[in-house]
Amino acid sequence: MSTPLTDHEKRKQISVRGIAGLGDVAEIKKTFNRHLHFTLVKDRNVSTSRDYYFALAHTVRDHLVGRWIRTQQYYYEKDPKRIHYLSLEFYMGRTLQNTMINLGLQNACDEAIYQVKAAPVLIVQLGLDLEELEEIEEDAGLGNGGLGRLAACFLDSMATLGLAAYGYGIRYEFGIFNQKISNGWQVEEADDWLRYGNPWEKARPEYMLPVHFYGHVEHTAEGPKWVHTQVVLAMPYDTPVPGYKNNTVNTMRLWSAKAPNDFNLQEFNVGDYIQAVLDRNLAENISRVLYPNDNFFEGKELRLKQEYFVVAATLQDIIRRFKSSKFGCRDPVRTSFETFPEKVAIQLNDTHPALAIPELMRILVDVEKLDWNKAWELTTKTCAYTNHTVLPEALERWPVHMFEKLLPRHLEIVYEINQRHMDRIKSLFPGDNDRLRRMSLIEEGEPKRINMAHLCVVGSHAVNGVARIHSEIVKNSVFKDFYEVEPEKFQNKTNGITPRRWLLLCNPGLADIIAEKLGEEFMTDLFQLKKLLDFIDDDAFIRDVANVKQENKLKFGAYLEKEYNVKINPESIFDIQVKRIHEYKRQLLNCLHIITYYNRIKKDPNKSFVPRTIMIGGKAAPGYHMAKMIIKLITSVGQVVNNDPVVGDKLKVIFLENYRVSLAEKVIPACDLSEQISTAGTEASGTGNMKFMLNGALTIGTMDGANVEMAEEAGEDNFFIFGMRVEDVESLDKKGYNAKEYYERIPELRQVIDQIRSGFFSPKEPELFKDVIDMLMYHDRFKVFADYEAYISCQDQVNELYKNPKEWTKKVIRNIAASGKFSSDRTITEYAREIWGVEPSDVKIPPPNEPHRMARNKSGI
């Protein structure tokens, strides 16, 4: 009998991980040993796993640096239009494996570190395991969820498509909190992700810039002057962003706040030198922590400071780069701003960087002395705005008094923008005062507020939603008045995901069997997946797809048993809902199905049930009481279900703790059923839905966000669609939603609600879930009960299909084949052509070991 293959040997057989050439392996080993030597401190000659991780990270980084320098050199020489993606969040996750993949070095690195010998004697081969080293890396959790992860996918696609692009954001010292579940409750812990250092970033103190706050405005003969401000320094940290096998390496520049040396030292003159030094923390707090709210506006002054900080530093940087066009030249060579929009595009990822609009106006008018009309023309041609939400509680509306204190000159500019905007609307709609009120940038009331979404729409040349249905809602509801005035501004750009991370990295087994059929070009042209339909009746391919899924389930099941001490049935449906915990995402609807299924098993224990392992994961904003109660309800239901001997392995419920990018990479490839069950008209797009589809899960979902387009691509027969459409929700709103009607009419629903209400899942605290029940019964904005019956019925259809593995797998293949549209490469190509006015390039910049002049495209020209 043959010896089973080790994990290392299995990985070597996966062709899409790159070829482990002998020269590459030898070079990597040599560099690795050199870095390991430097990593070890003098009083220690035994390496730890973390030492090995850092040595490998520095080795891979060395392969990036020459390409990085050469890319920037190429941009300075060609002087292309540059794209600047401004986002308060970049949810990057881990970098090592992604970098190895994009450089085509994964198998070479795997083989090299496996062969490395132990220091100091260099005799014993260590047999280091690449996957174990990858697990040591901290996630860069600089985002809350979809919006931040989208920004990360976009950076990958912009580099892969050869666009001269930059990501600009904040280098938060503490990212999204680590979630611990203690006694069923969420507990937050600080995410000290920089504790051991970050091998992927490079501090650039030579580009440090001042950012001003507070002070007041003096109107002089030379124009307005913003004086007596408090200065904070913005220190840039650059992270390389490699494209996929094209030698392009772009830059993500994140700003960190530093107090200037004279910060508050006037205090010293009255004797309190110590306090003045301690107060430096106040300035540096700006980049201390990511606000953990998703789809909710809190309105804190520190958050407004963060938003201006990133915008002010970034615009200075953009203008410096615009003025100097030749490599290594810091002196301005451009003095006219006439060509600014032809050379600079600024994309605002939601309203968080909206202050870019008044800040660019301030620079052009106050500093560069352009007249208002010219400055406004340049600003609007340069800026474009992506809307990410229709929930009213998520829209940013800053109090005027806070704005005035922090940014007095910007308030004047916003008032002037608004005055000219109002004059225009008045001329178009004379006497329509209600329209003026609706369209104003300033909301009257107590307190007066600035509507940042309105500022973005007025100050941008393009406004886009992130899925077709969402873009229609944006035009017909959220910005209806603006659409009537300037319909040409409004576009749709359906979101996408990078197939490098969300297929090749996380699911190499699936990527490999696809590559066997299609070759490897699908990694940069995901539409090629359509060709898989040619193999829909190929029994060997159907078997291969099913086997890959089963291997992924076994691997993830072993992880769950280790982490949660729960025995998982690998034959069960892996039914997964992972996303931020929010009422609109309706984890509660999922929970009601769990209890219903539990009740059915209890009622008829001898009946044959399709076994399910139901996993729910996600973080609740720390101040969101209802979301935290939802987590407690899920964990409490899990306690009862998982310990009921009658149920056995027919049903297991697991709350996945601390859901993050690196956990998503494990969960998604193992999923059978993806839960995308938001109330129709509330989820702008979703991107988790696309990741599950690409990785061979079937979707149970409402006609919301990108689900609509996914069902259209795959065919509705290959989707489990249920529930109200947007029109149904609207007509139910008009009629009035009455939860009690459903409760009284549907016996299974009534039983579930009565169980929760009576303390069946919280016997020590029968009243524990009173707030949840009250919400569901009397003020549920997201109408959980209205979709309950259709959802349960749809879940029954899931069970029926799962009993026929071959038919299930054929639907899986149809879904994978239909997921080409949902590559972020397609999304970014549309932004490039239709918003930024640039064309993606397949030019391959020569690697550092080739003569510089030999940039070539795929055809070799």
Side-chain angles (χ1 to χ4, degrees):
M1 204 172 103
S2 60
T3 315
L5 294 176
T6 64
D7 287 346
H8 169 70
E9 286 165 333
K10 282 181 193 165
R11 290 198 297 268
K12 275 170 77 170
Q13 294 183 346
I14 297 175
S15 64
V16 288
R17 293 166 56 89
I19 295 158
L22 291 178
D24 283 340
V25 172
E27 168 69 18
I28 288 163
K29 267 164 61 181
K30 186 173 145 194
T31 315
F32 179 86
N33 279 318
R34 179 164 52 84
H35 281 299
L36 191 58
H37 174 75
F38 287 127
T39 302
L40 295 177
V41 290
K42 284 174 187 165
D43 62 346
R44 199 181 83 222
N45 64 0
V46 179
S47 308
T48 66
S49 295
R50 184 162 274 106
D51 294 326
Y52 293 132
Y53 160 72
F54 273 93
L56 180 58
H58 286 119
T59 301
V60 173
R61 193 186 66 180
D62 285 355
H63 279 76
L64 269 179
V65 170
R67 290 170 171 85
W68 197 8
I69 291 167
R70 201 161 256 202
T71 301
Q72 302 314 310
Q73 212 167 6
Y74 180 77
Y75 292 160
Y76 271 99
E77 287 173 0
K78 296 288 179 190
D79 194 27
K81 183 169 184 176
R82 295 163 197 253
I83 315 305
H84 307 86
Y85 196 83
L86 271 64
S87 181
L88 268 283
E89 302 184 20
F90 285 95
Y91 202 170
M92 301 299 283
R94 292 172 176 161
T95 297
L96 173 62
Q97 194 182 357
N98 187 246
T99 305
M100 291 189 296
I101 282 170
N102 281 10
L103 294 182
L105 285 176
Q106 210 177 3
N107 264 342
C109 287
D110 200 342
E111 187 57 34
I113 65 161
Y114 189 75
Q115 292 178 15
V116 161
K117 294 178 179 173
V121 288
L122 299 177
I123 296 169
V124 182
Q125 188 166 307
L126 288 170
L128 294 174
D129 186 79
L130 185 62
E131 279 189 20
E132 285 176 20
L133 295 193
E134 287 164 354
E135 284 298 313
I136 288 163
E137 184 176 355
E138 301 275 349
D139 278 48
L142 308 185
N144 277 281
L147 176 144
R149 184 53 236 174
L150 183 80
C153 284
F154 279 4
L155 292 185
D156 181 88
S157 284
M158 288 188 278
T160 297
L161 292 167
L163 297 175
Y166 303 78
Y168 276 103
I170 294 178
R171 180 184 180 264
Y172 300 106
E173 200 176 309
F174 296 91
I176 186 65
F177 61 86
N178 284 318
Q179 179 195 57
K180 293 277 183 276
I181 300 297
S182 176
N183 195 25
W185 295 96
Q186 170 177 297
V187 178
E188 299 87 27
E189 288 182 358
D191 167 40
D192 193 3
W193 72 289
L194 293 168
R195 178 173 50 233
Y196 299 107
N198 175 7
W200 303 105
E201 68 182 8
K202 173 83 177 79
R204 305 298 300 273
E206 68 273 28
Y207 291 114
M208 188 143 58
L209 294 166
V211 175
H212 297 260
F213 295 100
Y214 303 110
H216 61 270
V217 182
E218 288 177 356
H219 291 272
T220 69
E222 295 88 58
K225 287 195 166 42
W226 184 17
V227 297
H228 301 134
T229 58
Q230 188 183 103
V231 175
V232 176
L233 299 176
M235 161 86 93
Y237 286 79
D238 287 356
T239 299
V241 180
Y244 182 68
K245 295 186 180 177
N246 66 349
N247 295 328
T248 295
V249 181
N250 284 341
T251 302
M252 175 176 69
R253 177 161 284 182
L254 302 181
W255 301 100
S256 181
K258 279 191 72 66
N261 286 334
D262 61 354
F263 184 80
N264 267 6
L265 275 177
Q266 57 272 28
E267 302 282 339
F268 176 52
N269 299 327
V270 293
D272 206 346
Y273 164 73
I274 297 294
Q275 192 56 48
V277 174
L278 296 182
D279 282 352
R280 291 170 61 85
N281 270 332
L282 299 175
E284 294 173 1
N285 279 342
I286 290 172
S287 57
R288 194 80 68 204
V289 61
L290 167 75
Y291 271 87
N293 298 317
D294 196 63
N295 279 295
F296 183 76
F297 172 63
E298 205 174 351
K300 293 280 194 284
E301 185 178 301
L302 179 59
R303 173 65 173 193
L304 184 57
K305 271 188 176 172
Q306 288 181 341
E307 293 184 355
Y308 180 64
F309 174 75
V310 68
V311 152
T314 297
L315 277 167
Q316 289 178 75
D317 211 39
I318 289 172
I319 288 168
R320 171 192 60 76
R321 201 179 283 116
F322 167 75
K323 285 182 172 182
S324 65
S325 67
K326 288 288 175 223
F327 185 64
C329 168
R330 300 241 187 121
D331 301 320
V333 294
R334 278 197 188 97
T335 49
S336 164
F337 277 83
E338 198 62 45
T339 61
F340 193 70
E342 292 158 35
K343 290 294 177 187
V344 174
I346 294 173
Q347 190 68 37
L348 308 176
N349 194 24
D350 215 330
T351 56
H352 314 143
L355 288 165
I357 293 164
E359 173 65 4
L360 184 52
M361 286 298 290
R362 185 189 69 80
I363 293 168
L364 294 176
V365 173
D366 295 1
V367 180
E368 302 292 343
K369 304 299 181 189
L370 272 67
D371 75 76
W372 180 278
N373 289 337
K374 187 68 197 171
W376 184 244
E377 179 197 333
L378 296 176
T379 297
T380 54
K381 282 182 175 173
T382 301
C383 294
Y385 158 57
T386 302
N387 173 272
H388 280 277
T389 183
V390 298
L391 297 182
E393 66 267 33
L395 297 175
E396 293 195 294
R397 296 153 60 250
W398 288 105
V400 164
H401 63 84
M402 185 189 292
F403 211 95
E404 185 171 32
K405 180 175 81 158
L406 197 69
L407 302 167
R409 177 59 183 143
H410 296 77
L411 182 65
E412 291 183 350
I413 291 168
V414 169
Y415 276 154
E416 181 67 20
I417 292 169
N418 194 47
Q419 186 57 57
R420 290 166 183 250
H421 165 57
M422 290 285 93
D423 289 346
R424 178 165 178 242
I425 301 305
K426 253 183 233 169
S427 71
L428 292 171
F429 301 94
D432 193 344
N433 289 332
D434 200 45
R435 183 181 291 267
L436 287 177
R437 180 190 56 75
R438 292 196 309 268
M439 293 184 75
S440 176
L441 274 54
I442 311 297
E443 296 179 358
E444 299 300 332
E446 198 43 59
K448 236 190 216 185
R449 293 177 179 272
I450 302 171
N451 185 312
M452 302 304 274
H454 289 185
L455 173 62
C456 285
V457 174
V458 170
S460 297
H461 70 278
V463 176
N464 73 279
V466 289
R468 194 202 305 137
I469 187 175
H470 169 236
S471 297
E472 289 305 308
I473 292 168
V474 160
K475 291 191 297 192
N476 302 330
S477 168
V478 188
F479 300 133
K480 183 174 189 284
D481 293 317
F482 296 88
Y483 176 66
E484 285 171 6
V485 174
E486 295 179 294
E488 68 287 349
K489 252 190 199 185
F490 290 81
Q491 304 188 16
N492 173 56
K493 296 285 169 278
T494 298
N495 282 344
I497 57 171
T498 170
R500 273 73 63 182
R501 184 176 293 266
W502 297 113
L503 179 56
L504 191 46
L505 181 153
C506 72
N507 203 343
L510 181 59
D512 208 43
I513 63 168
I514 294 171
E516 279 174 21
K517 296 294 183 192
L518 308 183
E520 291 184 24
E521 285 197 358
F522 74 93
M523 288 312 307
T524 49
D525 177 13
L526 209 62
F527 282 109
Q528 291 196 21
L529 291 179
K530 274 195 170 72
K531 295 178 192 168
L532 291 178
L533 293 176
D534 295 345
F535 306 99
I536 197 75
D537 295 312
D538 179 332
D539 285 347
F541 185 63
I542 292 168
R543 196 165 51 248
D544 286 346
V545 171
N547 286 344
V548 165
K549 179 63 70 178
Q550 199 55 30
E551 281 169 26
N552 291 337
K553 287 173 72 173
L554 286 166
K555 188 174 180 182
F556 190 59
Y559 170 85
L560 290 175
E561 285 179 31
K562 180 163 115 349
E563 295 292 317
Y564 297 94
N565 202 25
V566 177
K567 189 88 179 113
I568 301 299
N569 176 1
E571 302 303 317
S572 63
I573 298 178
F574 278 24
D575 171 350
I576 301 176
Q577 186 179 21
V578 281
K579 50 188 76 236
R580 285 298 291 252
I581 308 294
H582 200 296
E583 287 160 85
Y584 88 84
K585 292 179 187 283
R586 298 203 297 190
Q587 283 90 356
L588 278 173
L589 182 57
N590 192 343
C591 198
L592 298 188
H593 169 249
I594 293 170
I595 301 169
T596 304
Y597 206 57
Y598 170 73
N599 288 339
R600 288 180 179 182
I601 295 168
K602 291 287 282 183
K603 186 178 175 185
D604 196 352
N606 298 318
K607 186 179 165 187
S608 173
F609 286 89
V610 175
R612 290 228 184 187
T613 301
I614 300 179
M615 301 170 227
I616 302 176
K619 294 174 182 177
Y624 189 175
H625 168 70
M626 188 55 66
K628 288 186 149 181
M629 289 308 303
I630 290 167
I631 291 174
K632 177 61 175 170
L633 177 59
I634 294 161
T635 56
S636 301
V637 170
Q639 273 293 107
V640 171
V641 170
N642 298 347
N643 293 298
D644 191 322
V646 173
V647 173
D649 68 358
K650 292 191 187 94
L651 180 61
K652 291 289 180 211
V653 180
I654 297 172
F655 187 87
L656 296 169
E657 182 178 84
N658 202 33
Y659 183 63
R660 59 202 183 281
V661 175
S662 59
L663 183 52
E665 291 162 7
K666 295 178 176 70
V667 173
I668 290 168
C671 177
D672 292 307
L673 186 68
S674 159
E675 300 266 356
Q676 308 298 334
I677 58 177
S678 52
T679 311
T682 62
E683 188 74 87
S685 167
T687 46
N689 47 5
M690 302 168 187
K691 291 160 196 167
F692 283 109
M693 182 187 197
L694 180 59
N695 281 277
L698 299 186
T699 303
I700 183 166
T702 50
M703 280 301 215
D704 196 23
N707 296 356
V708 177
E709 290 160 80
M710 286 163 55
E712 185 179 288
E713 292 293 304
E716 293 194 11
D717 291 353
N718 301 304
F719 241 68
F720 296 106
I721 298 164
F722 74 93
M724 295 179 288
R725 311 302 209 248
V726 170
E727 316 80 70
D728 302 321
V729 174
E730 286 169 358
S731 60
L732 187 54
D733 275 329
K734 285 197 186 92
K735 177 186 148 204
Y737 168 65
N738 180 359
K740 211 158 182 242
E741 281 175 25
Y742 301 92
Y743 169 81
E744 285 169 355
R745 182 172 60 75
I746 307 164
E748 281 191 307
L749 174 61
R750 187 165 60 246
Q751 182 189 1
V752 169
I753 296 304
D754 290 348
Q755 282 170 300
I756 300 170
R757 184 189 270 136
S758 68
F760 181 86
F761 298 104
S762 54
K764 290 180 181 167
E765 291 178 80
E767 297 276 290
L768 182 60
F769 299 114
K770 182 180 187 305
D771 289 354
V772 177
I773 296 298
D774 285 352
M775 182 274 289
L776 285 171
M777 292 294 293
Y778 305 113
H779 40 93
D780 176 11
R781 292 164 57 202
F782 304 106
K783 307 175 180 62
V784 170
F785 290 4
D787 275 342
Y788 169 83
E789 221 169 0
Y791 180 55
I792 299 298
S793 164
C794 199
Q795 290 283 15
D796 293 341
Q797 293 169 38
V798 171
N799 290 336
E800 278 310 304
L801 184 65
Y802 196 74
K803 290 175 189 172
N804 186 338
K806 186 172 180 181
E807 284 308 308
W808 179 280
T809 306
K810 286 173 84 163
K811 285 192 191 291
V812 163
I813 293 166
R814 288 191 187 100
N815 272 268
I816 296 169
S819 55
K821 175 179 175 177
F822 305 105
S823 168
S824 47
D825 297 346
R826 187 267 316 151
T827 312
I828 288 298
T829 299
E830 290 179 6
Y831 275 97
R833 290 176 176 156
E834 296 163 25
I835 295 180
W836 305 329
V838 294
E839 191 61 31
S841 159
D842 64 0
V843 166
K844 190 169 183 178
I845 295 168
N849 58 348
E850 272 185 32
H852 174 159
R853 65 184 175 278
M854 288 172 58
R856 59 192 188 278
N857 63 23
K858 282 180 184 166
S859 61
I861 298 164

